[in-house]
Amino acid sequence: MAERTQYEELMRQFSAFGAVRRELGRIMPSDCPGGSAAVLTLLDRYGDMRMSRLAELLSVDMSVTSRHVAHVVDRGWIERSPDPADKRSRILRLTPGGRAQVAELSRRTAQLLADRLSDWSDEEVGQLIRLMARLRADFGDCRTAAPRHAETPHTSHSPHHELEHTTRTPA
Amino acid sequence: MAERTQYEELMRQFSAFGAVRRELGRIMPSDCPGGSAAVLTLLDRYGDMRMSRLAELLSVDMSVTSRHVAHVVDRGWIERSPDPADKRSRILRLTPGGRAQVAELSRRTAQLLADRLSDWSDEEVGQLIRLMARLRADFGDCRTAAPRHAETPHTSHSPHHELEHTTRTPA
DNA sequence: TATTGTTATACTCTATAACTATA
DNA sequence: TATAGTTATAGAGTATAACAATA
């Protein structure tokens, strides 16, 4: 448990982080805004999934997810197949063009981060990753579940909170 | 210098951070959205200033700053006085009502963070603060300049990059 | 001619609510 | 009746560009 002045300082850091986010957004391809990039990246990491699962991973309402997905489908980067097990659902899958786009996004972000964080050690970057992962876990995020490729070893010290999410408008 | 897969993971953490930001936004008073809160907090921390300085601190275009400031002035939280030294400029200053609003914002954020980060040690919170401060410094932010109350000791290890900012549309 | 600030316009992201189709 | 997904609408944040007033 920390002091209140520390929480205020942390809040200022959160607020200022917007500048980093915007700079990263500016280097993205003009036809692939942040929402589309997030959809592609999650599909690449976790594999084929339904809309509801994607909304959960994005931590946004499914209506928002639907818009992002529609944009990405229009570009030919993913395809929506009907789910044979549930005709209400649709399965999302990356196309080859989508994978190429993911590679391009990855290339651009890695390039910018390598430039800006050139004097950060491997350990320091890892420390920031761990702290931010814990932060969003403690804020009820669900992305701590094991990804498809199991690249990040999530030892069972952080509960998943999967059921705390709505993904749905109260309606 | 870190590996590329680490940069990709860091990028995912940045993307996922949006969920934290949105949850913090939801607990704010309905007539005080994020932009207004940022204006009030910066004026409280750095004292009276001109529009251009505020835009620099917010790391957004001055047109955006102008909109945020207009909203806050409408609520009576700050006042715009003419600058006797330069008739084009206006000096921004918190009103007593503005200070009360800052206190309320601080109370709400501290309460949410104390709840969500209840199992974080003082040192861990401090570590996250330091890493995020360094992150935005390396992304060319200007808020590393000494604040009014000198609460954060910024020893001269991080150059300011003040001149890298535009704050201005190329027009 | 350059700078400070404002306003108009457009785009992105998000949530709420109403709706269709299926379970 | 409940759930999966879509669409319409509204609000917030931001950037670009054109503009007025002053330096």
Side-chain angles (χ1 to χ4, degrees):
Chain A
M1 182 66 86
E3 293 177 20
R4 169 157 176 169
T5 58
Q6 227 184 353
Y7 291 136
E8 294 172 352
E9 177 60 26
L10 184 57
M11 187 61 202
R12 278 189 286 270
Q13 298 301 331
F14 287 175
S15 173
F17 181 74
V20 174
R21 197 167 34 81
R22 288 191 291 278
E23 184 156 351
L24 280 159
R26 274 189 282 271
I27 63 158
M28 290 300 158
S30 62
D31 59 345
C32 188
S36 300
V39 166
L40 295 175
T41 303
L42 287 171
L43 275 171
D44 181 60
R45 183 171 181 77
Y46 293 92
D48 304 352
M49 65 183 78
R50 305 194 308 173
M51 291 289 307
S52 53
R53 168 72 172 146
L54 180 58
E56 194 176 279
L57 291 173
L58 288 168
S59 300
V60 297
D61 190 87
M62 197 154 56
S63 66
V64 177
T65 307
S66 186
R67 273 175 69 89
H68 290 328
V69 164
H71 183 271
V72 174
V73 167
D74 287 345
R75 298 301 182 286
W77 293 327
I78 72 175
E79 56 186 15
R80 282 182 288 207
S81 338
D83 182 351
D86 186 339
K87 287 178 183 168
R88 296 171 303 181
S89 283
R90 309 171 80 170
I91 304 294
L92 308 176
R93 164 172 295 178
L94 274 180
T95 64
R99 294 194 187 282
Q101 186 68 10
V102 168
E104 172 64 14
L105 297 175
S106 169
R107 191 188 66 77
R108 294 194 187 203
T109 59
Q111 184 181 340
L112 180 61
L113 289 174
D115 175 57
R116 292 300 201 278
L117 309 185
S118 59
D119 60 342
W120 287 51
S121 73
D122 196 85
E123 171 55 29
E124 289 167 329
V125 174
Q127 212 169 43
L128 180 56
I129 289 172
R130 283 194 299 277
L131 288 171
M132 290 190 77
R134 186 170 167 206
L135 179 68
R136 62 187 176 78
D138 287 343
F139 267 75
D141 196 281
C142 56
R143 260 166 292 196
T144 41
R148 191 167 55 146
H149 308 300
E151 289 163 359
T152 48
H154 288 293
T155 47
S156 58
H157 57 276
S158 56
H160 290 178
H161 310 283
E162 295 233 1
L163 299 180
E164 292 178 14
H165 276 282
T166 314
T167 311
R168 215 37 210 153
T169 196
Chain B
M1 182 65 85
E3 294 177 18
R4 169 157 176 169
T5 58
Q6 226 184 356
Y7 290 137
E8 294 172 351
E9 176 61 25
L10 185 57
M11 188 61 200
R12 280 190 285 270
Q13 298 301 331
F14 287 175
S15 174
F17 182 73
V20 174
R21 198 168 34 83
R22 287 192 292 278
E23 183 156 351
L24 279 159
R26 274 189 281 271
I27 65 159
M28 290 300 159
S30 61
D31 60 345
C32 188
S36 300
V39 166
L40 295 175
T41 303
L42 287 172
L43 274 171
D44 181 60
R45 184 170 182 76
Y46 294 90
D48 305 352
M49 66 183 77
R50 306 194 307 173
M51 290 290 306
S52 54
R53 167 72 172 148
L54 181 57
E56 194 176 278
L57 291 173
L58 288 169
S59 299
V60 297
D61 190 87
M62 198 154 55
S63 66
V64 177
T65 306
S66 186
R67 274 173 69 90
H68 290 330
V69 164
H71 183 271
V72 174
V73 167
D74 287 346
R75 298 300 182 288
W77 293 327
I78 72 176
E79 57 184 17
R80 283 183 286 207
S81 337
D83 182 350
D86 185 339
K87 287 177 183 170
R88 296 171 301 180
S89 285
R90 309 171 80 170
I91 304 293
L92 309 176
R93 164 172 294 177
L94 274 180
T95 64
R99 295 194 186 281
Q101 186 69 9
V102 168
E104 172 63 14
L105 298 175
S106 169
R107 192 188 65 76
R108 294 194 186 202
T109 58
Q111 184 181 339
L112 180 61
L113 288 174
D115 174 58
R116 292 299 201 280
L117 309 184
S118 58
D119 60 343
W120 287 51
S121 73
D122 197 85
E123 171 54 30
E124 288 166 330
V125 174
Q127 211 167 44
L128 179 56
I129 289 172
R130 282 192 300 276
L131 288 171
M132 290 189 76
R134 185 170 167 206
L135 179 68
R136 64 187 176 75
D138 286 343
F139 267 76
D141 196 280
C142 56
R143 261 167 292 197
T144 42
R148 192 167 52 146
H149 307 302
E151 289 162 358
T152 47
H154 289 292
T155 49
S156 59
H157 57 278
S158 55
H160 291 180
H161 309 284
E162 296 233 0
L163 298 181
E164 293 178 14
H165 277 281
T166 312
T167 311
R168 212 42 208 151
T169 195

